[in-house]
Amino acid sequence: MLTIPQLTEKMIAFSAGNTADIHHFLCVWAYAKTIGEAEGLDEKTQFLLEATAILHDISCPLCREKYGNTDGKHQEAESPRLVRDFLADSGFDAELIDRISYLIAHHHTVTGIDGMDYQILIEADFLVNAAEKGLGKEAVAHFLENVAKTDCGRRLLQSVFLDK
């Protein structure tokens, strides 16, 4: 079974030198790892979360080519097949691949969150997107009030964006 470092190297190679994509998924992975560990996830869920964070934007290159953008709904629609193909030789069991695929196919959907892995992925991706897009305090405060649920994620949002 691929380890997190092996999966990271494989995703870096898949990214074909797109440093913005690589930087983004590495930052999301770092936040997801931090939040998951701080929230006390069990080992299996932590691994699943970290693998998902690394792969969460796997469909961005295809979306840029096919649609001319990386709109979240396009990413969600295009990702399941890409995830399954990418993980076909990973040694991951079907249950793990199914959950990773599901999370990636919903990582821009903040309703119906059904697990800590999903919640943390949403929070980690928002932390990185907010910084990359220069979102204002109002947008961050709205996310903090309406979407963020983990203690660690809430602390990070507050300290990174609002305690200035």
Side-chain angles (χ1 to χ4, degrees), residues 9-160:
E9 283 190 51
K10 185 174 179 179
M11 189 61 186
I12 288 170
F14 178 86
S15 298
N18 185 319
T19 57
D21 283 358
I22 295 165
H23 184 262
H24 177 83
F25 83 72
L26 288 173
C27 288
V28 172
W29 168 74
Y31 276 126
K33 179 176 175 52
T34 299
I35 297 168
E37 289 179 0
E39 296 296 321
L41 293 184
D42 63 84
E43 188 176 320
K44 180 179 177 183
T45 307
Q46 183 72 30
F47 181 86
L48 183 151
L49 171 63
E50 290 185 38
T52 303
I54 291 163
L55 300 179
H56 80 282
D57 278 349
I58 194 167
S59 64
C60 283
L62 174 64
C63 289
R64 282 187 203 100
E65 183 180 311
K66 187 172 180 178
Y67 304 105
N69 62 60
T70 58
D71 177 78
K73 293 304 167 193
H74 293 148
Q75 287 182 52
E76 289 181 339
E78 297 291 347
S79 65
R81 180 187 54 79
L82 293 171
V83 169
R84 291 182 189 289
D85 289 349
F86 189 88
L87 295 177
D89 63 352
S90 66
F92 292 6
D93 64 34
E95 181 182 347
L96 182 60
I97 292 172
D98 286 347
R99 184 64 177 171
I100 291 169
S101 182
Y102 173 82
L103 292 173
I104 294 173
H106 292 85
H107 81 277
H108 286 280
T109 303
V110 298
T111 56
I113 294 173
D114 68 348
M116 285 294 283
D117 49 3
Y118 190 165
Q119 180 66 45
I120 294 168
L121 180 63
I122 293 286
E123 292 177 15
D125 196 30
F126 182 85
L127 278 155
V128 178
N129 284 332
E132 290 175 352
K133 295 175 181 177
L135 295 184
K137 287 186 177 188
E138 284 184 22
V140 173
H142 181 268
F143 183 87
L144 183 62
E145 184 175 320
N146 296 293
V147 180
K149 304 284 185 248
T150 68
D151 290 337
C152 181
R154 294 176 61 78
R155 285 191 307 270
L156 290 171
L157 284 160
Q158 186 70 41
S159 64
V160 171

